[in-house]
Amino acid sequence: MSQTDPDPVTGTGDIAVLVRIEGRVQGVWYRAWTVEQARKRGLTGWVRNRADGTVEAVFCGAPSVVQSMLSAAQQGPENARVERIHEQAVPIVEDLSGFEKRSTL
């Protein structure tokens, strides 16, 4: 689905959400898990560690699929302990063709 095609369930176009995940999320396979989960869902975007100990990601796709990813991100992989997720809708400005792990910010 391109970023301009309507979502077949909701009739709306794709959305993008910037998230910052707080808690024990570095050194516990959180980024690799996020890549795996996002790709399974067909999302585009990226994930990276931040110097402050949080993980930051952008999830782009159909609203219902992005919401599914946000729900999964609340739990994370087995050894993670998510304390809080900050979400912010953002415009889709990058031409993303998949979901990737990026370098630490």
Side-chain angles (χ1 to χ4, degrees):
M1 179 184 314
S2 77
Q3 294 175 350
T4 57
D5 291 340
D7 178 275
V9 176
T10 64
T12 61
D14 288 355
I15 63 168
V17 177
L18 173 68
V19 297
R20 189 167 45 88
I21 302 115
E22 296 178 357
R24 188 176 63 186
V25 293
Q26 290 191 14
V28 294
W29 202 61
Y30 198 96
R31 286 181 303 153
W33 175 88
T34 300
V35 169
E36 179 181 279
Q37 294 297 312
R39 286 180 178 169
K40 280 184 187 178
R41 289 170 170 81
L43 294 173
T44 59
W46 50 265
V47 61
R48 66 182 169 200
N49 283 341
R50 292 175 48 97
D52 64 4
T54 62
V55 169
E56 183 176 53
V58 170
F59 303 127
C60 301
S64 60
V65 181
V66 170
Q67 187 56 53
S68 169
M69 186 65 211
L70 291 171
S71 295
Q74 291 283 346
Q75 297 301 312
E78 183 178 343
N79 293 320
R81 189 183 73 245
V82 177
E83 295 174 2
R84 184 172 179 178
I85 294 183
H86 303 270
E87 302 172 26
Q88 176 184 352
V90 293
I92 301 173
V93 294
E94 296 182 61
D95 186 23
L96 303 169
S97 60
F99 199 91
E100 64 184 36
K101 184 166 54 169
R102 291 191 174 173
S103 300
T104 300
L105 173 66

